Amino acid sequence: LIVSPGINTRQKILSIREATCSKEDAEKVVELARRAISKSRTAAQELGQMEKVLGIRGKGSPTPGTIAVSFDAAFKKKGQSFFTMGGEERKANRGTVIGKVSAKAQNSRLISCDIQKDGGWGKTVNIC
């Protein structure tokens, strides 16, 4: 919030800095988060491999130079192998988990990234 003097000294004009960022900047942060999640063993153990980004929920710039993005991502975890009645070996599929990813970057460097499992009611996995 910036207060600047107006024409009249008794009157003040308020101007608010918008906390917005471009779509391209938000996509860069999403890509940084994707790379960090794919390298994380903790994320792979808890949620599985990240399959795809489902959509960006929100983006903004809370402080100058910092970009914060929130997006949904699909994770798939493979289960143990098992044998069918016919003796065929198969891998169990544990289905897809949707997680909400919150990421912040400053100067093209990821400074925080965490994944909320089950819409925030479950476990939160911190990546960095």
Side-chain angles (χ1 to χ4, degrees):
L1 187 64
I2 302 167
V3 179
S4 59
I7 298 170
N8 189 349
T9 55
R10 293 182 187 176
Q11 183 182 24
K12 301 273 185 186
I13 298 173
L14 298 177
S15 63
I16 299 172
R17 184 182 74 81
E18 289 187 35
T20 59
C21 67
S22 68
K23 185 177 179 181
E24 292 80 21
D25 289 339
E27 287 174 354
K28 287 177 188 175
V29 175
V30 169
E31 188 57 36
L32 288 171
R34 279 177 38 92
R35 281 192 222 136
I37 292 167
S38 68
K39 291 178 185 177
S40 172
R41 286 187 177 180
T42 307
Q45 289 173 350
E46 294 286 331
L47 302 164
Q49 293 298 317
M50 186 169 146
E51 285 193 317
K52 61 182 176 179
V53 174
L54 299 175
I56 295 176
R57 290 174 154 227
K59 59 185 172 57
S61 179
T63 57
T66 304
I67 298 170
V69 180
S70 175
F71 61 94
D72 291 327
F75 296 87
K76 193 163 201 158
K77 192 171 190 179
K78 301 250 186 222
Q80 300 287 336
S81 33
F82 66 94
F83 290 98
T84 62
M85 296 292 280
E88 207 179 318
E89 185 179 7
R90 290 195 180 172
K91 282 259 187 201
N93 187 358
R94 297 176 109 183
T96 302
V97 174
I98 306 299
K100 180 185 167 244
V101 181
S102 299
K104 265 189 198 176
Q106 191 171 33
N107 300 328
S108 298
R109 208 175 115 236
L110 199 64
I111 56 175
S112 75
C113 181
D114 62 336
I115 307 164
Q116 293 179 350
K117 189 174 163 181
D118 302 326
W121 293 100
K123 189 173 186 177
T124 300
V125 179
N126 294 320
I127 304 301
C128 61

